[in-house]
Amino acid sequence: NTPATLYNGVIEGSGGFNKDGTGTSLLGGNSTYTGDTNILNGKLVIFSDVNRTFVSLLNIAAGAELDLEQAAPTTTIYAGG
């Protein structure tokens, strides 16, 4: 996914979210999905002015990145492995 890809909608349900590809993906919106969040390659940027809690496990592969600098101050993420 090069160049950067933006998704500012809502992801709902029991499924997860996989970030793959060497580029940057920006994830906004007030998603409520409960499956795992997997960052396999590249960078995932979480941005929002909405305080929220991710109830999914977060897995970040070696060399992949998570950027929370643009996330709301009380965004909560539970780490996986």
Side-chain angles (χ1 to χ4, degrees):
N1 61 333
T2 303
T5 303
L6 166 66
Y7 183 76
N8 199 22
V10 174
I11 303 171
E12 299 175 312
S14 60
F17 179 84
N18 290 324
K19 161 49 183 115
D20 203 354
T22 58
T24 299
S25 293
L26 297 96
L27 182 60
N30 193 17
S31 294
T32 58
Y33 66 92
T34 57
D36 290 358
T37 299
N38 301 300
I39 306 172
L40 306 171
N41 287 297
K43 180 190 286 188
L44 177 63
V45 177
I46 305 291
F47 73 95
S48 178
D49 57 359
V50 176
N51 297 326
R52 59 184 171 173
T53 299
F54 282 89
V55 294
S56 67
L57 289 177
L58 175 66
N59 301 294
I60 305 172
E65 299 178 59
L66 172 66
D67 182 342
L68 296 172
E69 288 190 35
Q70 299 177 48
T74 58
T75 296
T76 303
I77 297 178
Y78 297 99

